[in-house]
Each structure stands twice: as C-alpha cells, then as structure tokens.
C-alpha cells in the first residue's frame, strides 16, 4: 500500500467522463474523485458512493422545529395563562401554524448545515488538484490506485479522448 | 472581460463568459437610474420621518379604515415575493426545463420583495421604536404574544419565508460564485485579486467534487421540497390576517387559495416586467427567450383564471348566503365610492390577461411585457379594493366612512418601489443573474440551450 499513484484526466463533456469513470471502476480502481461544473444523476450512480447523509439532517431539523414550535406555544400559554376569547390555553389548531413554520425553518437550516459539514465548507483551502477550468467547461477524474495498476488505468483513461492525462502526487 | 476567448469556444465556456461578463462595469444609464431611485427613496425617507415626527395623522388612515395604503403595500409586496420560490422550488420539483434562466432573478426578487414588505408593518406601527414588543421573550412589561392571533402567525410565516428563501437562493449561488472566483484567478491586477478573495469567501470554498455535488444536490432538493409547502402557507397566513376577522368581504374560507393564486399571479407579472429590461441591459437575450415568456405567460393565464374565478365565487357566495350585510358589502364594492379601483382590478387582472390565450401574443415579448405591467397595477388595486372597501362599509351605516391616501402614504409607496428596484439593480451587477450551473445542466441534458426559442413547443 506504499506510495499510491494518483492520475488526473480531464474531459470536455460529461458523457466521456461517465464512460471513463465506469471503466476505471470496472478495473478495480475504487478511489475516484470527480471535479466538474455540473453533476448528473448517472454520474452519481456510476461512482457508486453511499447516499448523502444530508437527508438525516433535514429530518432531524424538521422534527426539532415541530417540537420547538409546539413547545413554545403550549408551554408559554400555561406559563403565563391568559384566556383569550374563551379558548383553551393549548389551542392546538391555532398553534399548528406556528409549529409548521418552525418545522420548515429548522429543516431548511439544518439541511444546509448538514451540507456544509459534509462538504467541509466553508474553507479557504482548495484541493491541490483544483483548476479554474473545472468550474467552467472541464470535467476531471482523479484516480488513485496501486502503482502496479497505474499503466492499465492510464490506458483506460486515455481511451475516452481526454484533454490531458497527468500523473499527480 | 479581459480573458481572450479561444477560437472555438465550448458552449459551457460561452455561458461563463456571457453571464459573468455581464457583471460590473455599469454604463451611464445604470448610474443615472441608481441616482433617480436614490432620490425617490430619499423623498420617501423624508415622508416617513415627517410621519414619525408629526404623528399618524399625516397618513390618511382613520376610523373606520384603519388599514390603508401601508397594508395594501404589505400584501402586494408579499405577493410579489411568491413567484421566486414558486419558480425555484415547485418548478424544480416538477422538472420544468424553462425555469433555469429566470429562477435566480426571481429568487432575488423574492428576497427584495420580502425586505420591502417587511418595512410596512413597521411604518404602519406609527411609534416604530416599539416594534420589539412583537418579539416573544419574557420581559418586565408582562407582554406576551397571543399565539392564537393571525398577526403573530404572519410574523412567523414571513420571517421563516425570508430566511428559507435567502438560504435557498444562496445555496443556488454557491457553485456560481466559485465560477466567478475561478474566472478571477485567470486575471491580473489588484481588483481581480480582491474580487477573487470576496467571491472565494462567498463561495465558501466550493470546488465541485463529486461528493460535494452529491451533498449539495440533496440539500437543494430538500430545500425545494420544504419551500413548496412554505410558499403555499405564507400567503394563506397573510390571507388569514383578513379572513379571521368577521368583517364582511374578508370573512371567507376561499381567501387562502384565492390569495395564493393572486400572489403567484402578481409575482409572475413582476418577473416578466423586470426580466424584459434586464435581459436587454445585460445583453442576455439569448438566455431568456420567447420560449421562457411563452411559459411564463401560460402560468400568468392560469393564475389569472383562478383569480377571476375567485372574484366570481365571492359574489356568488355573498348572494347565496342571503346575508344582506355581506351582499351590501359586495354590491358597494362594485358600484360604490371605490368602483374605479374595482374596475381597474377586474380589467387588469381578469380581462387583459385573457389575451394570453393567443399563442402569438404569448410569444411576443413586447405584448407579454405590456400585459404584465397591467397585471402589476391590477394586483395593487386588488389589495386596495379588498382591504379598503371592506373596512369602509362594515355593518352599521353610522360607522361607514371613506379613505384617501395622503401624500405621505403615496410617497412611501413610491419609495417602496424605488427600494425594491435599487436592490434588484445592485444584484444584477454583482452576482451572476442567471444560474450558470443550471444553464449548463440544461445544455448537457439537451433540454434547452442558449438562443433556442423552441418554436415547436
């Protein structure tokens, strides 16, 4: 496992990229990172990485918001009892509106926070392989594999008409 | 921009160049417009200060019409705010390809419209320095909000809507801000370094790796999914500010869907009104084409029909109820002292948008623009008619009265338009006004590409 070899290949369009990624994954190269200006569902499937954990943040945030919204309204009504219009202190139908808004608020904020945590953002340090063209019109594959397999992987990458292929550290 | 274009430029690179190239370097017309808007805003600020100093008597609101132009403006601007999230969230979930070039501007409009709307409750308060009484926190004054009141629901709904819209808009901007940063990396000069730093910080260090995209797309999908019920709830809650009161003309179960449709209607109209000069000024005619206006006009027509149906249904229910007070309120609305605004409302909101049934009109940008301006006027009058005629003509004839806005209210109303447009103009020159990422996705998926007018659609 010493000194694994990294290679970067750039492509002009996402379809060659999808093909290249699929082939190197079939060759047994598991450590693949893709850079690009857009992402497609097909590419996500080909990469075969686990589902994003952001879903759990959104769910937990939503539940927290719901509980907080109901708690704020019900608790405060009992804490400071003022009967308004002869209605019960815990007027659930009226409080549902506030609980609903808080559910949405917390779910949205926590989905965003989850995204930031798992994307390691915010940061000022960009990936060493970052290139300004990756946000313009270039896609790149960074494949890390055993030195023994490097020649084979490089050949596969070259077969999808890349812009360039280079060995990285 | 300074980067020399290579001879055979890829479609993606052209998108970057067109959209980022439209930023900064404003011409003299832009500067003059900014100055004019600042002048209007300054006048409105003077009017507000005058009102604060002299008292609420300077506004025309008095018994029985205690809600006038300020609340009209509030409801109008909240309505304008609705199309942005509709276009972004609901059409995103429905996978509508045509939303991609207008969603960014529409979302920005949403945020600025909420910022405008949020001023009006404060202006309406009179003693604005007491506004913090609204916030629910334990205090020595023994004040506590009544959570059963629609007004406090509204406070929660609008602040949630503002926060979520802002975050949704910002998360859409992240990859595009990184595009701007990367473009600045290729340029020389001190300004480019400063811009690279600023946009780099704003993009939070985005670098477009697959795992970043995966989390990002998930987060965006969830934001869209939760923004959809939110957008429908916000104007429902605004409508309950009225519908929960027993005032004839307000107390109706139709109000929530009626207001939501009206909000989307006015919001789409405002998107059209703003995007026509905006695409011309930024040279983005290839990006927002007849295809987009055709689709927006269809949405305008649909919501216009719903609003027209609601107008009729209100009259039908007033008649069917057999309640003489309800019927008198609606009769007076059409033929009483405010028949003028009523006539403008029906003409602009129901009759003129019917022109959108013709395909040739929908595909004519000039025609759609003119229709959208009429709709904006009509929707302002709709808010006015609903609010003022109902209050002016309640139960007891002895308590009837008329309302007329004063110069203070009119100045502040004009100022609200200046405030909104000023933010929009600043946005158009500092942030990518069209989603670079989504245009590229459309190109890659073959849904639509710049310059395509989709005649056959």
């Amino acid at each position: 496992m010493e000194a694994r070899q990294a290679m970067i290949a750039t492509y002009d369009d996402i379809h060659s990229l999808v093909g290249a990624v699929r082939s190197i994954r079939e060759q047994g190269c598991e450590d693949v990172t893709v850079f690009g200006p857009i992402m497609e569902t097909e590419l996500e499937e080909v990469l075969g990485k686990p589902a994003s954990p952001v879903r759990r943040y959104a769910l937990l945030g939503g539940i927290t918001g719901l509980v907080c919204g109901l708690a704020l309204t019900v608790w405060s009504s009992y804490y400071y009892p003022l009967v308004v219009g002869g209605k019960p202190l815990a007027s659930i139908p009226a409080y549902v509106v506030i609980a609903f808004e808080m559910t949405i608020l917390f779910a949205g904020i926590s989905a965003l926070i989850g995204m930031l945590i798992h994307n390691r953002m915010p940061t000022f340090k960009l990936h060493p392989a970052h290139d300004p063209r990756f946000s313009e019109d270039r896609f790149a594959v960074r494949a890390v594999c055993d030195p023994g397999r490097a020649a084979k992987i490089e050949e596969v990458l070259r077969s999808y008409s890349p812009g360039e292929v280079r060995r990285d550290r | 921009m300074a980067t020399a274009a290579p001879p055979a430029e890829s479609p993606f690179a052209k998108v970057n160049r067109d959209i980022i190239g439209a930023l900064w370097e404003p011409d003299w017309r832009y500067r003059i417009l900014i100055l004019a808007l600042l002048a209007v805003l300054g006048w409105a600020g003077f009017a507000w200060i005058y009102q604060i100093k002299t008292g609420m008597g300077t506004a025309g609101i008095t018994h029985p019409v205690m809600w006038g132009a300020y609340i009209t403006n509030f409801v109008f601007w909240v309505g304008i705010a609705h199309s942005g999230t509709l276009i972004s969230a609901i059409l995103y979930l429905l996978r509508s390809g045509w939303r991609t070039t207008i969603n960014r501007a529409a979302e920005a409009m949403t945020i600025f419209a909420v910022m405008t709307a949020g001023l009006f409750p404060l202006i309406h308060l009179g003693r604005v320095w007491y506004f913090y009484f609204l916030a629910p926190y334990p205090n020595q004054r023994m004040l506590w909000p009544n959570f059963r009141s629609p007004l406090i629901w509204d406070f929660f709904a609008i602040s949630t809507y503002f926060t979520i819209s802002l975050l949704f808009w910002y998360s859409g901007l992240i990859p595009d801000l990184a595009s701007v940063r990367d473009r600045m990396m290729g340029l020389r000069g001190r300004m480019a370094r400063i811009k690279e730093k600023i946009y780099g910080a704003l993009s939070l260090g985005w670098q477009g790796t697959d795992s970043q995209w995966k989390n990002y797309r998930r987060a965006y999908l969830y934001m869209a999914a939760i923004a959809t019920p939110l957008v429908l709830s916000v104007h429902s809650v605004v409508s309950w500010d009225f519908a929960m009161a027993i005032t004839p003309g307000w107390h109706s179960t139709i109000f929530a869907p009626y207001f939501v449709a009206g909000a989307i209607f006015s919001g789409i109209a405002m998107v059209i009104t703003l995007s026509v000069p905006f695409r011309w000024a930024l040279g983005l005619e290839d990006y927002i084409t007849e295809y987009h206006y055709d689709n927006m006009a269809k949405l305008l027509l649909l919501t216009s029909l719903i609003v027209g149906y609601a107008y009729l249904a209100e009259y039908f229910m007033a008649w069917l109820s057999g309640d003489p007070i309800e019927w008198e309120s609606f009769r007076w609305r059409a033929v009483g002292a405010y028949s003028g605004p009523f006539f403008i409302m029906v003409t602009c909101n129901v009759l003129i948008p019917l022109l959108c049934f013709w395909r040739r009109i929908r595909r004519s940008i000039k025609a759609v623009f003119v229709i959208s301006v009429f709709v904006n006027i009509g929707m302002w009058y709709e808010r006015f008619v609903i609010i003022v005629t109902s209050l002016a003509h309640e139960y007891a004839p002895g308590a009837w009265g008329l309302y007329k806005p004063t110069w203070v209210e009119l100045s502040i109303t004009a100022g609200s338009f200046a405030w909104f447009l000023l933010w929009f103009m600043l946005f158009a020159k500092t942030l990518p006004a069209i989603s670079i990422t989504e245009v590229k996705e459309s190109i890659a998926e073959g849904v639509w590409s710049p310059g395509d007018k989709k005649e056959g659609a």
Side-chain angles (χ1 to χ4, degrees):
Chain A
M1 284 295 289
E2 86 297 355
R4 309 225 316 152
Q5 180 65 50
M7 270 168 299
I8 294 179
T10 65
Y11 296 90
D12 282 346
D13 80 321
I14 194 159
H15 306 293
S16 321
L17 177 79
V18 170
V21 171
R22 182 181 288 128
S23 301
I24 57 171
R25 296 244 320 145
E26 280 163 5
Q27 292 290 329
C29 183
E30 289 297 325
D31 189 355
V32 179
T33 310
V34 170
F35 296 85
I38 59 167
M39 174 58 62
E40 280 190 349
T41 312
E42 196 189 356
L43 184 55
E44 281 183 357
E45 284 163 8
V46 168
L47 281 162
K49 293 191 182 173
S52 166
V54 167
R55 60 184 72 206
R56 280 181 221 116
Y57 287 83
L59 179 66
L60 283 178
I63 293 170
T64 313
L66 181 70
V67 172
C68 287
L70 284 174
L72 171 71
T73 47
V74 174
W75 167 79
S76 67
S77 300
Y78 279 96
Y79 180 72
Y80 187 176
L82 275 177
V83 176
V84 180
K87 296 184 189 74
L89 285 175
S91 310
I92 298 299
Y95 299 166
V96 161
V97 178
I98 288 167
F100 171 80
E101 302 297 342
M102 298 272 276
T103 308
I104 300 283
L105 182 68
F106 279 51
I109 291 175
S110 55
L112 190 72
I113 290 175
M115 190 268 279
L116 292 177
I117 291 173
H118 288 276
N119 280 357
R120 298 174 196 282
M121 283 156 58
T123 176
F124 281 103
K125 270 172 71 180
L126 298 183
H127 195 286
H130 177 80
D131 186 293
R133 293 206 70 179
F134 296 164
S135 70
E136 194 176 8
D137 59 349
R138 283 295 157 86
F139 295 88
V141 189
R142 186 172 186 274
V144 182
C145 58
D146 300 331
R149 284 224 197 103
K152 178 68 190 156
I153 299 286
E154 188 173 340
E155 186 189 318
V156 171
L157 288 173
R158 284 197 189 282
S159 67
Y160 287 90
S161 57
E164 61 165 335
V165 181
R166 66 169 196 271
R167 298 224 170 181
D168 201 33
R169 272 175 296 106
Chain B
M1 296 305 304
T3 328
E9 192 180 33
S10 66
F12 279 18
K14 183 172 164 15
V15 173
N16 270 39
R17 187 167 55 88
D18 286 347
I19 295 174
I20 300 176
L23 300 180
W24 33 87
E25 292 161 21
D27 66 358
W28 60 272
R29 280 172 295 215
Y30 180 87
R31 288 164 209 263
I32 286 179
L33 198 50
I34 290 274
L35 285 179
L37 291 175
L38 282 174
V40 177
L41 196 57
W43 175 252
F46 166 74
W48 189 16
I49 291 168
Y50 175 75
Q51 177 189 291
I52 292 171
K53 202 160 180 289
T54 318
M56 284 306 279
T58 56
I61 38 177
T62 180
H63 187 79
V65 185
M66 296 305 289
W67 282 4
Y70 296 148
I71 301 299
T72 301
N73 281 322
F74 169 73
V75 181
F76 174 76
W77 286 111
V78 176
I80 296 296
H82 273 62
S83 66
T85 311
L86 173 100
I87 289 175
S88 322
I90 299 181
L91 299 184
Y92 178 77
L93 296 180
L94 296 176
R95 298 269 178 263
S96 292
W98 61 272
R99 68 180 270 286
T100 49
T101 56
I102 47 168
N103 70 333
R104 176 70 45 76
E107 282 170 50
M109 220 182 71
T110 291
I111 290 156
F112 306 143
V114 179
M115 280 161 56
T116 315
L119 293 175
F120 280 100
L122 302 183
I123 296 169
H124 184 83
L125 270 180
R127 284 185 280 182
V128 63
W129 53 95
Y130 286 135
F131 81 93
Y132 67 92
F133 279 22
L134 289 166
Y137 69 99
N139 54 67
Q140 286 182 316
R141 300 182 308 280
M142 302 288 279
L143 295 174
W144 194 250
N146 174 14
F147 291 113
R148 294 169 200 85
S149 160
L151 299 182
I152 201 83
W153 300 347
D154 210 16
F155 175 77
F156 275 82
I158 303 273
S159 43
T160 300
Y161 188 57
F162 179 70
T163 314
I164 293 295
S165 300
L166 189 67
L167 294 180
F168 193 53
W169 180 63
Y170 184 63
S171 53
L173 269 166
I174 288 173
D176 287 5
L177 291 168
S179 292
V180 181
R181 173 200 66 200
D182 289 349
R183 197 173 180 83
M184 290 302 121
M185 281 179 181
L187 299 184
R188 287 210 196 89
R190 203 159 60 89
M191 272 317 283
R193 290 291 79 71
I194 294 171
K195 283 176 187 165
E196 184 194 321
K197 286 263 164 21
I198 293 173
Y199 286 92
L202 288 175
S203 72
L204 308 176
W206 175 262
Q207 40 205 327
T209 61
D210 58 285
S211 51
Q212 283 193 336
W213 274 115
K214 187 169 209 139
N215 294 324
Y216 173 82
R217 278 158 51 101
R218 269 289 138 185
Y220 198 78
L221 178 69
Y222 287 125
M223 301 268 278
I226 59 166
T228 300
L230 178 65
V231 78
L232 300 180
S233 83
V234 172
H235 226 65
S236 302
V237 171
V238 171
S239 82
W240 293 335
D241 287 347
F242 302 98
M244 293 282 159
I246 54 167
T247 305
W250 287 358
H251 194 55
S252 158
T253 48
I254 200 179
F255 255 47
Y258 166 31
F259 266 50
V260 170
I264 293 168
F265 181 52
S266 68
I268 292 285
M270 190 58 100
V271 173
I272 296 172
T273 311
L274 287 186
S275 66
V276 171
F278 154 84
R279 74 196 268 279
W280 167 77
L282 297 185
L284 296 172
E285 281 99 339
D286 275 354
Y287 288 83
I288 310 176
T289 65
E290 280 85 342
Y291 165 60
H292 301 98
Y293 287 101
D294 188 3
N295 279 300
M296 283 194 274
K298 281 178 189 160
L299 205 50
L300 196 72
L301 179 61
L302 172 72
T303 45
S304 161
L305 292 174
I306 298 174
V307 167
Y309 170 76
Y311 293 167
L312 286 177
E314 277 193 316
Y315 274 85
F316 177 73
M317 288 192 294
W319 170 77
L320 188 71
S321 69
D323 177 354
I325 292 165
E326 183 84 5
W327 179 244
E328 169 58 18
S329 174
F330 278 96
R331 187 199 65 79
W332 190 76
R333 181 179 282 187
V335 298
Y338 294 107
S339 59
F342 181 83
F343 174 78
I344 296 174
M345 167 183 109
V346 171
T347 313
C348 295
N349 293 349
V350 182
L351 301 179
I352 293 176
L354 290 178
L355 290 170
C356 292
F357 267 114
W358 281 275
R359 198 180 125 81
R360 274 192 49 208
I361 289 179
R362 283 201 310 269
R363 293 192 74 94
S364 155
I365 294 176
K366 284 191 193 112
V368 173
F369 176 73
V370 171
I371 292 171
S372 77
V373 172
F374 276 113
V375 172
N376 283 319
I377 297 168
M379 283 309 290
W380 194 90
Y381 275 99
E382 185 206 286
R383 307 333 188 170
F384 182 86
V385 164
I386 291 172
I387 293 168
V388 173
T389 65
S390 303
L391 287 173
H393 212 73
E394 264 190 280
Y395 296 95
W400 289 349
L402 294 180
Y403 160 79
K404 212 173 133 211
T406 62
W407 70 269
V408 174
E409 286 164 305
L410 295 178
S411 305
I412 291 177
T413 302
S416 73
F417 281 85
W419 164 263
F420 172 75
L421 289 174
L422 191 67
W423 282 104
F424 193 81
M425 302 260 301
L426 294 177
F427 151 75
K429 278 288 171 191
T430 47
L431 294 170
I434 289 178
S435 173
I436 299 172
T437 310
E438 295 204 16
V439 171
K440 287 177 185 170
E441 278 172 359
S442 290
I443 297 173
E445 287 164 16
V447 180
W448 172 85
S449 51
D452 186 0
K453 294 178 183 174
K454 285 226 170 182
E455 271 298 337

